[in-house]
Amino acid sequence: MISSLEYNTERNHLVIPEYGRHIQKLVEHCRTLETKEERNRMATAIIGVMGNLNPHLRDVADFQHKLWDQLFVIADFDLDVDSPYPIPNKEELAARPKRMAYPQKRPRYRFYGNNIQGMINVALGWERGEKREALAYIIANHMKKSFLNWNKDTVDDAVIFKHLFELSDGEINLAAKEEDLLESKALIYRNTNTNRSKSNHTSNKRNHGKKNTRTTNNNRRRKN
């Protein structure tokens, strides 16, 4: 009968599985050493072995600090050695982090997105004049294009002007102007044309590579 075999059900829980069972056994043995000098010597050796398991992190800032913290975590914070760094607190590591406040932005019209509201706020910060009016028309055209992304039909400019008037709290009123926005077909054509140009550019690259390969193969055949 072999009586020295160990089963996982009989072993202690692995605190940090990444370091394996042997590192944890070394830490447990380090805790049993009588003198502090022996524990310090062995703790330093264990830190060296832990560092060798992650050689790509040696140049990372505070890597040694992290290793010493993990050493105390494996020892369940019951290890009397001289650490070059402050010994971590068990209660602080076990405490839950504070709940972070998540920004709740709920635009009036979701199909425009939150960026439109930011652009409108920027326009409201400018002085009234041609520059601000030009920016307002750019925003309105962008709103129209965003509207068409959700509704591939047409949209009346009066609807866009009304939404812009509401989002700017009545500060931007393009309905009183005589200038119209871009046509829906033009905005949709721009989107599709941009996608086509990207796909054509990619296909041209692929075809160019195939032509070069064919030319090279033909030259080799002629030489042979």
Side-chain angles (χ1 to χ4, degrees):
M1 292 290 294
I2 301 176
S3 59
S4 60
L5 291 177
E6 292 183 356
Y7 295 93
N8 289 333
T9 55
E10 300 174 352
R11 293 174 175 176
N12 297 333
H13 172 68
L14 269 178
V15 182
I16 303 180
E18 288 79 1
Y19 289 110
R21 179 69 58 181
H22 296 295
I23 293 294
Q24 184 159 317
K25 285 188 174 182
L26 289 173
V27 176
E28 292 173 356
H29 178 69
C30 182
R31 294 169 56 184
T32 61
L33 297 178
E34 296 181 358
T35 63
K36 193 172 185 178
E37 182 180 356
E38 291 177 336
R39 292 194 297 271
N40 288 337
R41 192 183 311 115
M42 186 168 185
T44 304
I46 294 173
I47 291 295
V49 177
M50 293 170 64
N52 290 333
L53 294 176
N54 300 286
H56 59 286
L57 297 177
R58 288 181 177 178
D59 298 332
V60 178
D62 296 334
F63 178 57
Q64 290 292 323
H65 192 177
K66 179 181 179 180
L67 291 179
W68 279 95
D69 288 348
Q70 291 176 339
L71 176 65
F72 285 103
V73 171
I74 296 174
D76 197 19
F77 303 92
D78 184 19
L79 183 62
D80 185 16
V81 295
D82 296 328
S83 173
Y85 305 97
I87 299 176
N89 188 283
K90 184 177 181 179
E91 288 73 18
E92 292 181 358
L93 291 179
R96 290 185 177 183
K98 296 182 180 179
R99 187 179 181 87
M100 297 183 63
Y102 190 81
Q104 297 291 339
K105 294 183 179 180
R106 297 179 180 178
R108 301 180 189 177
Y109 304 100
R110 292 186 177 181
F111 44 84
Y112 292 135
N114 292 319
N115 292 332
I116 286 292
Q117 188 63 55
M119 296 169 64
I120 293 173
N121 294 335
V122 171
L124 294 177
W126 290 6
E127 295 182 0
R128 294 182 180 274
E130 295 182 358
K131 187 176 180 180
R132 173 173 166 173
E133 184 177 342
L135 179 59
Y137 273 100
I138 292 175
I139 296 173
N141 281 308
H142 189 70
M143 290 172 61
K144 188 173 182 179
K145 184 171 66 174
S146 300
F147 190 99
L148 292 172
N149 287 335
W150 290 85
N151 181 13
K152 293 298 182 180
D153 202 351
T154 58
V155 57
D156 191 21
D157 291 351
V159 176
I160 304 298
F161 294 154
K162 178 184 176 183
H163 292 171
L164 181 57
F165 183 79
E166 294 177 0
L167 294 175
S168 63
D169 295 331
E171 293 294 328
I172 301 178
N173 186 11
L174 298 181
K177 306 292 182 180
E178 296 180 357
E179 187 174 351
D180 297 329
L181 299 177
L182 294 176
E183 294 183 2
S184 301
K185 294 182 179 180
L187 292 172
I188 297 175
Y189 177 75
R190 285 186 178 183
N191 292 336
T192 55
N193 192 27
T194 302
N195 296 331
R196 288 177 182 175
S197 62
K198 288 182 180 179
S199 60
N200 291 335
H201 182 67
T202 305
S203 61
N204 289 336
K205 281 186 175 181
R206 294 175 181 174
N207 295 331
H208 183 67
K210 292 180 180 179
K211 289 180 181 179
N212 290 338
T213 305
R214 293 174 182 174
T215 304
T216 304
N217 293 334
N218 293 332
N219 291 336
R220 290 177 180 175
R221 292 175 182 174
R222 292 174 182 174
K223 290 181 180 179
N224 294 332

